[in-house]
């Protein structure tokens, strides 16, 4: 893999691919894309470098938006707010950052690091800490690798800045969440400061170029009248589980997070069978006619059947024709510690994890 | 009696209705000034069925004039967009995602100022009145004649938009029109702001057109109040229309669907409008079109108007019919408006869907002998293809497994079979050619609430009741008869990643227009 230069024109397919990896969550990347376009227009294009090219002693600062994407579409973060988060952490650490990194390739957090990288003139690492989207900040591979989330910076658009130094990554999530709510529910955080060597050991490599490639794959399939859903499944090494029409979406708010179920009634070959998707922010379980087909941490992606456009859990609605794709996540998520962190039981479902292909073997 | 008028891009239709009974319908060519086309249509109505102008209780007009003005970028006023939210939002200033052609057409000027709210109603920063007065000075210097004001989370709290409007009116004088985003759109700053700027740019044109409409109706001795149709199928009075021209943008398809429903007697149904090039499928629930939940792009600008959810497929009277190795195909390409010269039955040599319908005996137009040579099996296969594709579109728009009646309107509806596979009987009402004007004539009055609520434990019922009551109050304020107002639509969605059971509630109440006794 070699470095690539990401231009404004690349951001549309990249954001679309990021919504695929979002697995129904992670927020609509539209605002993030507009911000990144703006930052690239003002500050120049961004060099995206492969994980293996990062020097072992590099000072890597990952960055992400924390809070509610629904708030972000109203109270839009600024380019400076994003850059400030990174600068605040660098100042606290007393280090000069050499690289920007992405925490979460799924959803809006795929584009936020481009804003920081363009504004600060730093290269961005082609990879992320999850390979998908998850709702809490300790849910990253570096947690499994023993990397501390803190010291972390947290910055709002008003100019408030904070630094947290916590005893573990769950505490980082808890305190940062409280601060985020008081700060107005759309903060920018920089956390999991790492060396280049740590990034190589703890990142999912190549996920930003995967986003770009997924977006282009969907566009190409549409243009050539191929099945975009199949194209996405093939690109992810996954399978198409179901095609049908959303018959019912039930949402309720439990323990602060939106929990919901969507029923997808089969069409065509799948007529007569019925899929139930259990989602909170992301899709977490998929059952077909009562049989559990796949669970978190593997990826469950809902796509518009005709266009291949990824559908977020918020946008799921009655009558929507959708296809459901399952795909493998990074293998490290299937370790016992990984399952404890992001497996179905963590989200309150009393079932054992099932992989994208229906197998149940542990790592 | 009421009069419904639809001013489309090509035709101006008028109907005289009593209750839901159509007494007369007329068509005239739409004119550049709009008004003379209406005058012609009203004359024709009077000629068909003489009526006493004093007996008309209300006149309802649906028009695509304003959306066309935006698309053609003509007669738009020099506009300023003022956003309250600093220091938030500064990286994406107003009109950042607009085509530059349209920014130029409205001589658009963007201003950022302090203010705005958090999702829970706290202030981001306080309003800076001196800053607003400085911006006003710059607007005067640049000849701005209309202003759009948006404030972060104004759907949660509109106080800053209202105060900023007062200040700008003091500085700019009463002749500068001001449009406020919380009255126009929902959550989603850029989309709501875009709709507000479009509205602002159309305000001068709206005054001219609405005055013209009023004059042309008054010219016929009709003293009844005048209303315009909105995107969601409800009515607004002329004062409101002068202030919110953007609310008319999608009234065309809405009126067509509602007219079809009234003519057929179904309150909940699928409406298939078959034209020359496409078939448009929409769904009515309790008499109102289901709204699109995604952003709608108008003239290249992303907005979040309340637009009906319409699925268009490439099958119409002019669709090309071909035999291929994979079977018979119909559309999506079409001869369009040249049907009457290119289709076989009209003397041309292009095989269209209309030719196939004539060959099968479903329709009898043009010269039937020119399609007598078609293989009956081929004709049957083509019609089956049309039926299957339209049935598929209806199926896609369906939201429940309940049976959904299908109503067909439009000149191309002769293509449809009497039974659609999986959908049952196709209902074909009379007067379908003037369904738009009928839809305008029977429109009701509504009020909408769309807001994020932070629901305390145990307080859900109270919050829901408040939202419903506010929607009802808004409907009554808009002119609905209180005794007829009911909640027509209610939607409650918990918002992901937000604490405190933040829930977005959307509620619409509608009622019959309060009619003055004539």
């Amino acid at each position: 893999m070699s470095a690539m230069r990401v231009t404004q024109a690349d951001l549309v397919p990249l954001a679309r691919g990021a919504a695929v990896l979002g697995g129904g969550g992670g927020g609509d990347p539209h605002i993030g894309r507009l911000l990144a376009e703006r930052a690239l227009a003002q500050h120049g294009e961004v060099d995206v470098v492969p994980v293996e090219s990062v020097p072992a002693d590099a000072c890597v600062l990952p960055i992400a938006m924390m809070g509610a994407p629904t708030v972000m579409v109203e109270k839009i973060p600024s380019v400076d707010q994003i850059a400030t988060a990174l600068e605040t952490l660098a100042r606290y650490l007393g280090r000069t950052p050499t690289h920007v990194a992405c925490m979460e390739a799924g959803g809006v957090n795929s584009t936020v690091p481009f804003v920081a990288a363009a504004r600060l003139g730093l290269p961005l690492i082609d990879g992320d800490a999850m390979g998908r989207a998850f709702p809490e900040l300790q849910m990253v591979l570096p947690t499994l690798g023993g990397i501390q989330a803190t010291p972390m910076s947290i910055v709002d658009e008003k100019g408030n800045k904070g630094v947290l130094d916590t005893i573990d990554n769950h505490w980082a999530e808890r305190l940062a969440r409280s601060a985020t709510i008081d700060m107005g529910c759309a903060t920018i955080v920089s956390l999991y400061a790492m060396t280049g060597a740590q990034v190589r050991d703890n990142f999912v490599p190549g996920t930003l170029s995967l986003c770009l490639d997924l977006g282009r794959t969907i566009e190409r399939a549409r243009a050539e009248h191929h099945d975009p859903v199949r194209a996405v499944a093939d690109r992810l090494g996954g399978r198409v589980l179901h095609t049908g029409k959303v018959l019912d979406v039930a949402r309720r708010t439990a323990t602060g997070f939106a929990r919901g179920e969507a029923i997808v009634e089969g069409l065509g070959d799948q007529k007569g069978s019925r899929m139930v998707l259990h989602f909170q922010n992301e899709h977490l379980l998929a059952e077909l006619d009562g049989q559990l087909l796949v669970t978190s941490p593997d990826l469950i992606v809902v796509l518009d059947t005709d266009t291949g456009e990824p559908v977020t859990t918020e946008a799921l609605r009655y009558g929507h024709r959708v296809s459901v794709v399952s795909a493998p996540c990074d293998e490290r998520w299937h370790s016992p510690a990984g399952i404890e962190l992001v497996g179905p039981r963590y989200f309150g479902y009393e079932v054992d994890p099932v992989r994208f292909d229906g197998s149940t073997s542990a790592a | 009696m009421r009069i419904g008028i639809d001013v489309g891009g090509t035709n101006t239709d008028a109907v005289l209705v009593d209750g839901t009974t159509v007494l007369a319908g007329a068509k005239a060519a739409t004119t550049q000034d709009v008004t003379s086309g209406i005058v012609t249509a009203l004359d024709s109505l009077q000629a068909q069925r003489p009526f006493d102008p004093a007996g008309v209780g209300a006149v309802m007009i649906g028009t695509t004039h304003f959306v066309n003005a935006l698309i053609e970028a003509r007669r738009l006023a020099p506009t300023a967009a003022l956003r309250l939210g600093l220091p938030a939002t500064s990286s994406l200033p107003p009109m950042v995602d607009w085509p530059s052609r349209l920014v130029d057409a409205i001589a658009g000027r963007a201003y950022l100022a302090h203010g705005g709210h958090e999702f829970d109603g706290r202030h981001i920063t306080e309003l800076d009145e001196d800053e607003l007065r400085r911006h006003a000075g710059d607007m005067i210097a640049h000849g701005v004649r209309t202003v759009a004001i948006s404030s972060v989370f104004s759907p949660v709290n509109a106080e800053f938009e209202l105060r900023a409007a007062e200040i700008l009116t003091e500085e700019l004088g009463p002749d500068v029109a001001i449009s406020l985003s919380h009255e126009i759109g929902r959550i989603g700053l850029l989309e709501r702001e875009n709709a507000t700027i479009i509205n602002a740019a159309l305000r001068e044109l709206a005054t001219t057109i609405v005055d013209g409409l009023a004059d042309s109706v008054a010219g016929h001795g009709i003293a009844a109040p005048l209303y315009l149709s909105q995107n969601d199928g409800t009515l607004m009075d002329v004062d409101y229309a002068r202030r919110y021209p953007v609310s008319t943008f999608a009234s065309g398809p809405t009126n067509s669907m509602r007219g079809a429903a009234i003519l057929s007697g179904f309150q909940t149904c699928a409406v298939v409008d078959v034209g020359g090039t496409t078939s448009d499928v929409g769904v009515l629930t309790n008499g109102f079109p289901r709204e699109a939940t995604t952003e709608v792009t108008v003239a290249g600008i992303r907005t979040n108007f309340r637009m009906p959810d319409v699925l268009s497929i490439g099958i119409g009277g002019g669709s090309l019919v071909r035999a291929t190795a994979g079977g018979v195909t119909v559309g999506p390409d079409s001869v369009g408006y040249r049907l009457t010269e290119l289709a076989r039955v009209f003397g041309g040599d292009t095989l269209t869907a209309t030719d196939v319908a004539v060959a099968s005996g479903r329709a009898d137009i043009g010269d039937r002998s020119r399609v007598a040579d078609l293989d009956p099996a081929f004709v049957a296969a083509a019609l089956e293809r049309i039926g299957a594709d339209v049935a598929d579109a209806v199926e896609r728009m369906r939201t429940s497994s309940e049976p959904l009646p299908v109503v067909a309107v439009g000149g191309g509806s002769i293509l449809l079979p009497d039974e659609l596979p999986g959908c049952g009987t196709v209902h074909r009402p009379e007067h379908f050619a003037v369904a738009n004007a009928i839809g305008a004539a029977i429109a009701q009055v509504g009020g909408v609430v769309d807001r994020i609520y932070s629901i305390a434990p145990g307080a859900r019922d109270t919050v829901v009741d408040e939202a419903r009551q506010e929607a009802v109050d808004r409907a009554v304020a808009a002119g609905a008869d209180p005794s007829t107002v009911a909640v027509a639509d209610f939607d409650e969605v918990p918002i992901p990643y937000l604490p405190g059971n933040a829930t977005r509630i959307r509620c619409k109440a509608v009622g019959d227009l309060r009619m003055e006794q004539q």
Side-chain angles (χ1 to χ4, degrees), chain A residues 26 30 34 38 67 70 73-76 78-79 157-158 181-182 184-185 245 253 256 281-282 306 317 319 321, chain B residues 87-89 91 118-119 122 153 188-190 192 293 302 309 392 395-396 398 494-499 501:
Chain A
H30 176 69
L34 287 180
R38 188 79 176 172
T70 315
V73 301
E74 184 68 31
K75 193 179 67 173
I76 304 163
S78 67
V79 170
E157 75 292 336
K158 292 170 279 288
I181 291 162
D182 278 340
C185 249
K245 186 172 66 171
T253 315
N281 305 291
E282 293 78 28
D306 292 331
R317 63 187 172 97
R321 279 244 185 146
Chain B
T89 81
S91 292
E118 304 281 8
F119 70 98
R122 287 176 293 156
F153 277 114
L189 177 68
L190 293 183
R192 182 176 74 250
T293 53
R302 203 169 136 117
D309 192 7
D392 188 58
E395 185 62 29
R396 286 170 63 172
R398 212 144 98 152
I495 296 181
Y497 307 99
L498 263 186
N501 289 348

Side-chain angles (χ1 to χ4, degrees), chain B residues 15-375:
Chain B
V15 292
L16 182 68
V17 299
D18 186 7
T20 57
T21 309
V22 180
L23 302 176
K27 257 183 196 301
T30 296
T31 51
Q32 189 66 40
D33 67 348
V34 178
T35 52
S36 44
I38 292 180
V39 170
T40 310
L42 287 176
D43 284 343
S44 160
L45 212 54
Q46 183 68 261
Q48 267 186 51
R49 191 182 185 290
F51 59 91
D52 177 5
V56 176
V59 178
M60 287 81 162
I61 299 182
T63 179
T64 53
H65 201 76
F66 298 115
V67 67
N68 291 341
L70 176 71
I71 291 166
E72 294 161 24
R74 60 180 164 80
R75 301 181 71 184
L76 303 173
T79 304
L82 168 67
R83 185 198 293 164
L84 312 172
L86 283 181
T89 81
S90 58
S91 292
L92 299 179
M95 297 174 283
V96 66
D97 54 348
W98 282 40
S100 56
R101 179 184 73 94
L102 276 173
V103 179
D104 294 345
I106 66 168
R109 299 190 64 80
Y111 298 89
L112 291 164
H114 287 78
H117 287 77
E118 304 281 8
F119 70 98
D120 55 6
R122 287 176 293 156
H123 295 177
I124 295 175
T125 52
E126 298 308 314
L127 218 54
D128 179 345
E129 302 202 350
D130 292 337
E131 182 183 36
L132 295 179
R133 291 182 203 280
R134 282 198 302 278
H135 284 328
D138 191 71
M139 291 176 196
I140 293 168
H142 286 91
V144 164
R145 297 206 297 267
T146 178
V147 184
I149 304 178
S150 56
S151 181
V152 173
F153 277 114
S154 64
V156 170
N157 190 329
E159 60 177 334
F160 287 158
E161 287 187 1
L162 294 167
R163 179 63 192 134
E166 284 174 7
I167 293 168
L168 288 192
T169 301
E170 284 168 24
E171 298 291 321
L172 303 173
D175 292 339
V176 172
I178 294 182
S179 305
L180 304 180
S181 84
H182 75 276
E183 295 178 324
I184 287 172
R186 47 178 74 156
I187 300 282
L189 177 68
L190 293 183
E191 292 80 8
R192 182 176 74 250
E193 180 177 78
N194 286 344
T196 310
I197 299 169
I198 291 170
N199 190 71
L202 289 167
R203 287 283 289 271
E204 286 186 4
L205 179 65
T207 298
T208 311
I209 293 294
V210 170
D211 289 349
L213 296 174
D215 288 348
S216 56
V217 170
H220 268 76
I222 300 170
L226 182 64
Y227 298 91
L228 271 82
S229 310
Q230 301 189 75
N231 300 335
D232 66 356
T234 59
L235 294 170
M236 54 183 166
D237 64 26
V238 288
D239 285 338
Y240 191 92
R242 281 193 188 93
R243 286 182 290 135
Y244 303 102
V246 81
S247 303
T248 64
F249 268 32
S251 60
T254 301
N255 281 341
S256 155
M257 285 164 65
R258 285 177 48 79
I262 285 298
L263 290 171
S264 65
F266 293 110
Q267 283 290 295
T268 297
C269 61
V271 178
V272 184
D273 188 344
V274 189
T277 304
T278 62
S279 296
D280 299 333
V281 183
V283 170
L284 285 162
T285 307
N286 297 325
F288 286 89
R290 189 173 73 218
E291 289 173 4
T293 53
T294 49
E295 282 75 13
V296 179
T297 300
V298 182
I301 301 171
R302 203 169 136 117
T303 70
N304 54 9
F305 295 134
R306 299 182 175 91
M307 294 286 214
D309 192 7
V310 173
L311 176 66
S312 291
I313 57 169
I315 288 190
S319 296
L320 303 190
V321 179
R322 299 186 184 91
T324 70
V328 179
T329 65
V330 181
D333 43 354
S334 166
V335 296
Y337 69 94
R338 298 180 72 194
L339 180 70
T340 51
E341 49 178 303
L342 297 181
R344 283 242 212 137
V345 290
F346 294 116
D349 52 13
T350 307
L351 187 64
T352 67
T354 297
D355 296 314
V356 173
V358 170
S360 73
R362 240 179 229 179
D364 188 11
I365 47 177
D367 181 357
R368 175 184 279 187
S369 69
R370 291 185 49 85
V371 290
D373 60 315
L374 291 177
D375 175 4

Side-chain angles (χ1 to χ4, degrees), chain B residues 268 398 400-405:
Chain B
T268 297
R398 212 144 98 152
S400 80
S401 45
E402 299 293 307
L404 188 67

Side-chain angles (χ1 to χ4, degrees), chain A residues 203-216:
Chain A
F203 256 43
V204 187
T207 42
L208 293 181
S209 45
L210 173 62
C211 288
L212 183 55
D213 196 36
L214 277 170
R216 286 181 178 151

Side-chain angles (χ1 to χ4, degrees), chain A residues 27-85:
Chain A
D28 180 345
H30 176 69
I31 287 285
R33 172 173 72 74
L34 287 180
L35 275 173
E37 281 176 358
R38 188 79 176 172
L40 264 60
Q42 286 175 338
H43 304 288
E45 294 165 356
V46 170
D47 286 326
V48 177
V49 300
V51 167
E52 62 269 20
S53 76
V54 180
D57 62 349
C59 173
V60 180
L61 297 189
I63 192 152
M65 175 264 177
M66 184 166 187
T70 315
V71 169
M72 199 174 168
V73 301
E74 184 68 31
K75 193 179 67 173
I76 304 163
S78 67
V79 170
D80 283 343
Q81 181 190 358
I82 293 169
T84 300

Side-chain angles (χ1 to χ4, degrees), chain A residues 66 135-139 149-150 152 154 164-183 187 189 191-192 257 346, chain B residues 499:
Chain A
M66 184 166 187
E136 297 174 8
L137 69 72
Q138 79 281 4
M139 296 176 169
T150 66
M152 68 174 280
I154 182 163
L164 294 174
D165 203 341
T166 61
I167 55 170
D168 63 28
N169 294 351
H170 286 271
W171 270 104
E173 158 66 27
R174 194 163 163 181
L175 295 179
R177 189 70 56 186
S178 302
T180 292
I181 291 162
D182 278 340
M183 291 167 119
T187 56
V189 294
L191 65 182
Y192 291 100
F257 279 115
Y346 183 86

